[in-house]
Amino acid sequence: MATHNATSTPVRRPARAGYLAAVAALGYAAPHFWWGAGVPAMFPGDFATAPQGNLEAAVGYWVMGALAAFGAVLSLALVRPWGRRVPALLIAVPSGLAAIGMTLWGFTYFAMQYLISVGRVVPAPAFAAKDAHPQAVWGLFWYGLFVVWGVSLGIAAWQRLRARRAGL
C-alpha cells in the first residue's frame, strides 16, 4: 500500500503483514516436521492414535510442512524486493485465494466449537472423544494460527496489488 508525502512521492508502507504471514507459516511448518519425526510435542490430540509410518503420515506431516514452508517463502515474496521479479498478479492472486481459504478454515473451527458449546450441534462420538483429550486444546492454537496466517497473507497480497497499481 502506498501513501503520499508532501511532494507526492509514493512511500512504501512497512511490510509487517507479509512478515507475520511468513512467521505464521513457519509456525505451522515446524511442528509438522517434528511430528513426522515422531516427536508428539504440541500435537492436537492423542499422538499415539495418529498415523505413523505410512502414506497418510507422510502427507499429513512432511508434505503439509513443506507446503507451509513454501507458503512462508511466498509470503516473503509479496514484500521483499526479490519478490518483485515475479509478476504481481501471479503471486498476489493465489496468495489472496489461499488467505480466504485459511481464514475461513480457522473461523469455521471456532464457529463449530461455539455451536457445540451452546448445544446447537452434537459431535459424532469419535470426534467427541478426540475433543475430550487434554491435548485437544492445541486445536485452539492451530486454528487461531490459520486465522492470523490467512488475514496477514490477505493483507500482504492486497498491499502487493496496490503497490503494483501505484507503480512501486
Side-chain angles (χ1 to χ4, degrees):
M1 189 179 281
T3 60
H4 298 285
N5 61 18
T7 61
S8 295
T9 305
V11 178
R12 190 167 161 90
R13 285 196 176 173
R16 291 184 186 109
Y19 292 116
L20 179 59
V23 167
L26 292 175
Y28 182 79
H32 281 77
F33 292 135
W34 72 59
W35 294 336
V39 178
M42 298 172 61
F43 191 79
D46 187 5
F47 191 72
T49 61
Q52 302 293 329
N54 58 20
L55 181 62
E56 186 179 356
V59 170
Y61 304 137
W62 298 104
V63 172
M64 293 306 291
L67 285 173
F70 174 74
V73 173
L74 182 72
S75 299
L76 291 175
L78 288 166
V79 297
R80 299 294 303 155
W82 52 264
R84 290 193 197 110
R85 294 182 196 146
V86 180
L89 289 176
L90 187 63
I91 196 168
V93 171
S95 296
L97 293 173
I100 291 168
M102 287 188 291
T103 304
L104 289 175
W105 183 255
F107 277 129
T108 300
Y109 173 81
F110 290 108
M112 184 59 69
Q113 291 301 317
Y114 169 75
L115 291 173
I116 290 170
S117 70
V118 297
R120 299 288 296 177
V121 173
V122 178
F127 292 110
K130 285 182 181 181
D131 285 344
H133 192 279
Q135 287 292 101
V137 72
W138 281 109
L140 298 172
F141 173 79
W142 296 121
Y143 286 98
L145 187 67
F146 270 110
V147 173
V148 169
W149 186 5
V151 169
S152 60
L153 182 62
I155 291 169
W158 179 255
Q159 287 176 340
R160 173 68 188 267
L161 288 174
R162 300 265 313 193
R164 173 183 172 260
R165 281 187 233 138
L168 296 177

